[in-house]
Amino acid sequence: MIQSISQIVQQHKKFILLLVVLVILPLIGIAAFPYFMYLTVPPDWLLVYEVTEQKAMDGTIVHLDDQNFKDYPVLEEVLWGSEHYEPGSPYSKGDLRQVGEVEYPEKITQWTIDRYVFDNTTGERKYFEYNGSYYRIGTLYAD
């Protein structure tokens, strides 16, 4: 007396529907929630400013060359990017101008701050030197 799958489904139709509604749909919702939440949170931005040499001497200077640019993708995108960026106004004393901005793909974390903004061993602001010009990174939190 083996029943076919279609007969079993017909006999237990309400139970299977209840199982789908109570178990499977909530699991899909739980799995999709982080994705939909991410869509509602605006991205953070990293802003790149050109600064005077005197201002850069107040902090830790990272000398960039063509090899270590890959360690700083934000600077690589702004300084090597093909897009033309309209220079912005200075943000603070010692800034010459804003040279670019990058929509940061995730929320800015302490790792980002350590990499781009502050030297975690000395506590000083990081400045980047490339081809005789000096740059610093600023953060803009969207939320």
Side-chain angles (χ1 to χ4, degrees):
M1 304 259 169
I2 299 176
Q3 294 179 338
S4 70
I5 292 179
S6 64
Q7 290 173 333
I8 294 172
V9 168
Q10 289 300 326
Q11 287 177 349
H12 303 291
K13 195 178 217 176
K14 288 182 181 180
F15 177 74
I16 293 171
L17 183 61
L18 185 65
L19 181 69
V20 167
V21 169
L22 294 178
V23 175
I24 296 175
L25 287 178
L27 287 177
I28 291 171
I30 290 169
F33 179 77
Y35 172 74
F36 290 119
M37 187 64 182
Y38 174 76
L39 294 177
T40 65
V41 177
D44 291 339
W45 292 82
L46 292 179
L47 311 172
V48 180
Y49 295 95
E50 185 176 3
V51 298
T52 62
E53 184 176 3
Q54 293 79 14
K55 181 68 175 174
M57 295 300 165
D58 292 342
T60 302
I61 298 175
V62 177
H63 299 281
L64 298 175
D65 57 27
D66 294 344
Q67 279 75 31
N68 65 0
F69 241 107
K70 292 172 183 52
D71 296 335
Y72 302 97
V74 169
L75 288 165
E76 182 180 23
E77 183 176 333
V78 170
L79 299 178
W80 284 2
S82 59
E83 285 185 29
H84 176 69
Y85 181 80
E86 278 298 317
S89 60
Y91 179 72
S92 67
K93 184 178 177 185
D95 290 353
L96 295 175
R97 63 189 174 98
Q98 182 180 346
V99 295
E101 58 188 28
V102 174
E103 181 179 314
Y104 206 61
E106 66 263 359
K107 299 310 287 175
I108 294 173
T109 62
Q110 186 61 46
W111 180 86
T112 312
I113 300 296
D114 291 343
R115 178 177 210 88
Y116 289 107
V117 182
F118 290 106
D119 183 356
N120 59 2
T121 57
T122 64
E124 295 179 331
R125 179 174 270 287
K126 277 188 178 179
Y127 295 94
F128 300 90
E129 183 271 329
Y130 182 67
N131 286 342
S133 296
Y134 295 88
Y135 304 92
R136 74 170 182 84
I137 302 292
T139 56
L140 179 63
Y141 297 93
D143 57 342

